[in-house]
Amino acid sequence: YSAKNSPNHIRFYNATIRQAAEQKLHTLNDLRHAQSLGQFSLVYQSVVDLESDEIMAVEALLRWTQSNGNVIEAKDFIPLLEEAGLMVNVGQWALKQACLQMKQWHTQFDKNLKISVNISSSQLEHPDFIKLISNILLSTQLPAEALVIEITEGALIRRPIHISNVLTQLKAMKVNIAIDDFGAGLSSLSRLNSLPIDALKIDAGFAQRLDTPQGKKLCKAVVQLAQTLDIKFIVEGIENQSQRDCLQAMGKGMGQGFYFGKPVKSQQFAMDVLSHIDKPALEAC
Ligand code: C2E
Ligand code: MG
Ligand code: MG
Ligand code: MG
């Protein structure tokens, strides 16, 4: 007879499950009103050249500010948005917002950076996705070359012919395509080579394991894969100088992570990052 199977334990367990389920329903309900309450926002994180530390692009990341003021990170509510069937609408808002913001930064600052936007498979598979992209580019006046669409390996697996079609159309429009979290999922390498991909965003797990010889070899192999396929690479999740230095030695590429800068609100991003662009002389003083 173990305490685990005691009636009290079961009662407690059931109560815990019920609480978790109620909590989730509550959160889903809050999410349904979040958009009309203006609770979604974007934060921006730099993508930098590993060699020069120069900023090359900016990734837009979704945040949800709940009524109590708590700010929830994308990883903690994107799955719920999907489950509630809200991802397509919220994602559309995020895409437009990000393009508007970058267009504004293009006019405000001297450098024309790229804006990288995450697209989930439900968005990518939506029949109007191409129309949506062209409408947004038209209405925001952002050049297609300045937009990067980030999709995960998983989004390539379902409906491969349709997805291949969509990516080919995006490419024809001059939109850039990046594979996000690369190496964390199950990509077919031959498939990868047959799609019009501009960049591989190497999953943060690789940077995190650079302190072991095995991890270093693995990361090097993924970097070489990108180089072999003639695709740019961006290593995600760089948190310290030793990771940066190690990656820099692997070849010409880009990096992203807390070491270079955390994701911040647009105003702060403009002040901290963009206002320093083209002023290297000041920085040297
Ligand atoms: P992702 O596109 O791979 O974004 C990188 C995630 O890692 C972000 O989490 C970012 O805050 C975090 N991160 C960046 N640098 C570091 C670092 O150095 N260390 C660590 N530990 N983490 C770092 P976040 O914002 O929670 O986003 C999670 C995922 O949610 C994203 O992964 C992306 O797949 C998805 N997502 C975010 N925004 C959107 C959006 O607007 N639309 C869609 N469809 N998906 C989004
Ligand atoms: Mg991403
Ligand atoms: Mg990623
Ligand atoms: Mg991720």
Side-chain angles (χ1 to χ4, degrees), residues 181-182 200-204 206 219 222-223 233-236:
D181 303 342
F182 182 77
L200 292 184
K201 297 197 73 171
I202 300 174
D203 190 71
F206 290 91
C219 189
V222 181
V223 165
F233 72 86
I234 298 145
V235 182
E236 303 190 81

Side-chain angles (χ1 to χ4, degrees), residues 45-84:
Q45 188 181 32
S46 308
V47 175
V48 308
D49 184 293
L50 283 171
E51 208 164 58
S52 63
D53 274 6
E54 189 188 352
I55 176 172
M56 306 305 285
V58 183
E59 180 171 3
L61 296 158
L62 196 58
R63 293 292 179 265
W64 173 29
T65 307
Q66 293 178 314
S67 312
N68 61 10
N70 280 352
V71 179
I72 314 294
E73 302 199 327
K75 64 172 174 6
D76 297 322
F77 69 88
I78 293 269
L80 288 172
L81 276 184
E82 294 282 4
E83 195 177 323

